[in-house]
Amino acid sequence: MINRIYRLMDTKRIDMIQREIMLGSDMILASPRYVSVCAADQRYYQGKRKREIMRRKLPMALIHEATAAVMHDSSGLLLQGTAVVPIPLLPNKRANVKPNYDEQSEFRSSGRDGFLCDYIAMPRDGFVPVYDDSVVYVFSELVSVVLNAFEAFEQSCITGCDSFGVWGDGSVGYVVCLILRCFYPDAKIYIFGKTARKLHRFSFTDAAFFIDSIPDGLRIDHAFECAGGVGSESALRQILGMINPQGCVNLLGVSEEEICVNTRTVLDKGLKLLGSSRSSADDFYKAVSLIGENVVCRRYLETLISEVIDIRVESDITKLFENDLLNDFKTIGRWLL
């Protein structure tokens, strides 16, 4: 079978190439149903990674947030048409390291082709069956990343969890606040951002603050930094000034440049800085269960969708990425190629 793969060749240039698919006895063949653009995809698309990284990783198909429909399962366990979520992590399994942190693991749309293709062929353990074919499962990867961070936090937390601060009013900050509300329903949850129309979406938090207008004396037990980019440094500066002693500072924002951290405050307060990135298969199963079983969580996740674009021809892929630059939250592609 011939697969058409849509690879980013250079900044804002996506070309189609053809490759043959060879199915083994433990393989599943699926076709994409929905794809979602991540900020990491946009950094590649816009050429905002360092040139040496772009040269090393391109050409490469983007997208690691997707849902799909099973076309063929060699084992016969999953029927044709079953809705699934493909896992972008290609794990190197070592007992003492979680796969998403193992340097020998690989990740689709970061060095390996992502899910911008006509057919997704992977081993059976690379797919998670979902409850239905709803578009909202396209957020399984994003939710799994946040659940991975929560696991690290809960393993490290030694103080009370009466209040949380989340910096960053984008999609990651939204999901962090939403899952905090699910896991800690009685806690105070504060979102800190800079865009009014985005902050208005965080209706399930206790308060929303502009980063340049934070009330004096406001304190938090723990913080999640989801700003990323150039905003990471100023976010951490505010967090360190507001967080209570022995709190956890959970780092989810990605910055291309090195940033400064006031280590004196970290030491004086006995803080824990927790870095979290990507997720494993276990996190995906937890994410799918949360989306499928928690009706309130699911409904709020649906509001993350800024636009759905039908992808019928190759030029629609470019439209997907270009429109995403104009949207506040997530841009979804309905795969009809």
Side-chain angles (χ1 to χ4, degrees), residues 10-23:
D10 201 347
T11 302
K12 294 191 174 185
R13 177 190 156 201
I14 295 175
D15 290 345
M16 185 271 288
I17 62 111
Q18 295 183 340
R19 291 289 185 270
E20 186 175 4
I21 293 176
M22 303 298 292
L23 285 180

Side-chain angles (χ1 to χ4, degrees), residues 250-316:
N250 302 272
L251 309 176
L252 283 86
V254 177
S255 176
E256 292 297 313
E257 304 297 332
E258 294 182 359
I259 63 172
C260 294
V261 178
N262 185 345
T263 56
R264 175 174 290 277
T265 302
V266 175
L267 301 178
D268 287 347
K269 290 189 175 183
L271 304 177
K272 293 182 180 179
L273 304 185
L274 305 175
S276 298
S277 179
R278 299 176 178 166
S279 55
S280 68
D282 288 344
D283 301 310
F284 267 82
Y285 277 96
K286 294 174 185 176
V288 165
S289 294
L290 181 64
I291 295 171
E293 297 172 6
N294 190 314
V295 176
V296 174
C297 178
R298 182 175 175 133
R299 288 177 178 170
Y300 275 114
L301 284 174
E302 290 172 351
T303 69
L304 265 181
I305 301 174
S306 291
E307 183 179 10
V308 178
I309 295 173
D310 286 347
I311 301 177
R312 299 180 182 274
V313 294
E314 289 182 41
S315 59
D316 289 332

Side-chain angles (χ1 to χ4, degrees), residues 166-223:
V166 179
W167 271 254
D169 52 17
S171 299
V172 177
Y174 185 95
V175 174
V176 168
C177 287
L178 178 57
I179 295 181
L180 277 172
R181 178 56 71 210
C182 294
F183 285 13
Y184 299 94
D186 297 324
K188 295 291 185 181
I189 301 171
Y190 307 117
I191 177 66
F192 300 85
K194 57 183 181 181
T195 307
R197 65 179 182 275
K198 290 184 179 181
L199 290 173
H200 288 159
R201 295 283 197 97
F202 292 75
S203 58
F204 46 84
T205 61
D206 290 279
F209 300 107
F210 292 106
I211 55 175
D212 59 354
S213 183
I214 299 175
D216 292 337
L218 182 63
R219 303 292 292 240
I220 54 174
D221 291 329
H222 308 284

Side-chain angles (χ1 to χ4, degrees), residues 134-147:
S134 170
V135 62
V136 76
Y137 285 104
V138 79
F139 299 132
S140 297
E141 196 276 340
L142 177 55
V143 173
S144 74
V145 169
V146 174
L147 291 177

Side-chain angles (χ1 to χ4, degrees), residues 38-296:
C38 173
D41 296 315
Q42 276 291 4
R43 285 193 291 272
Y44 282 113
Y45 179 76
Q46 297 179 64
K48 291 188 175 181
R49 300 299 308 271
K50 294 179 179 179
R51 289 307 303 171
E52 59 268 24
I53 295 176
M54 296 287 286
R55 284 194 296 267
R56 185 172 73 249
K57 296 198 175 186
L58 299 188
M60 174 182 68
L62 299 176
I63 299 296
H64 55 269
E65 301 176 2
T67 66
V70 172
M71 299 180 64
H72 174 74
D73 180 0
S74 301
S75 70
L77 294 176
L78 294 181
L79 299 178
Q80 184 176 356
T82 300
V84 292
V85 171
I87 301 174
L89 185 73
L90 303 170
N92 177 59
K93 298 178 181 179
R94 289 192 294 171
N96 61 334
V97 179
K98 195 170 181 180
N100 49 301
Y101 298 121
D102 193 320
E103 294 178 346
Q104 300 303 313
S105 293
E106 295 182 287
F107 194 81
R108 294 184 182 274
S109 79
S110 180
R112 289 286 296 268
D113 281 335
F115 300 132
L116 275 182
C117 54
D118 285 351
Y119 305 111
I120 302 169
M122 294 195 300
R124 191 172 301 105
D125 59 5
F127 294 93
V128 180
V130 298
Y131 291 62
D132 53 68
D133 62 355
S134 170
V135 62
V136 76
Y137 285 104
V138 79
F139 299 132
S140 297
E141 196 276 340
L142 177 55
V143 173
S144 74
V145 169
V146 174
L147 291 177
N148 171 64
F150 272 53
E151 178 185 56
F153 164 69
E154 292 182 338
Q155 290 174 350
S156 302
C157 177
I158 60 173
T159 63
C161 297
D162 295 325
S163 58
F164 294 88
V166 179
W167 271 254
D169 52 17
S171 299
V172 177
Y174 185 95
V175 174
V176 168
C177 287
L178 178 57
I179 295 181
L180 277 172
R181 178 56 71 210
C182 294
F183 285 13
Y184 299 94
D186 297 324
K188 295 291 185 181
I189 301 171
Y190 307 117
I191 177 66
F192 300 85
K194 57 183 181 181
T195 307
R197 65 179 182 275
K198 290 184 179 181
L199 290 173
H200 288 159
R201 295 283 197 97
F202 292 75
S203 58
F204 46 84
T205 61
D206 290 279
F209 300 107
F210 292 106
I211 55 175
D212 59 354
S213 183
I214 299 175
D216 292 337
L218 182 63
R219 303 292 292 240
I220 54 174
D221 291 329
H222 308 284
F224 287 81
E225 187 278 302
C226 309
V230 295
S232 293
E233 185 170 323
S234 57
L236 281 171
R237 188 180 304 117
Q238 290 184 339
I239 288 170
L240 296 184
M242 295 171 57
I243 195 168
N244 289 326
Q246 293 193 287
C248 291
V249 182
N250 302 272
L251 309 176
L252 283 86
V254 177
S255 176
E256 292 297 313
E257 304 297 332
E258 294 182 359
I259 63 172
C260 294
V261 178
N262 185 345
T263 56
R264 175 174 290 277
T265 302
V266 175
L267 301 178
D268 287 347
K269 290 189 175 183
L271 304 177
K272 293 182 180 179
L273 304 185
L274 305 175
S276 298
S277 179
R278 299 176 178 166
S279 55
S280 68
D282 288 344
D283 301 310
F284 267 82
Y285 277 96
K286 294 174 185 176
V288 165
S289 294
L290 181 64
I291 295 171
E293 297 172 6
N294 190 314
V295 176
V296 174

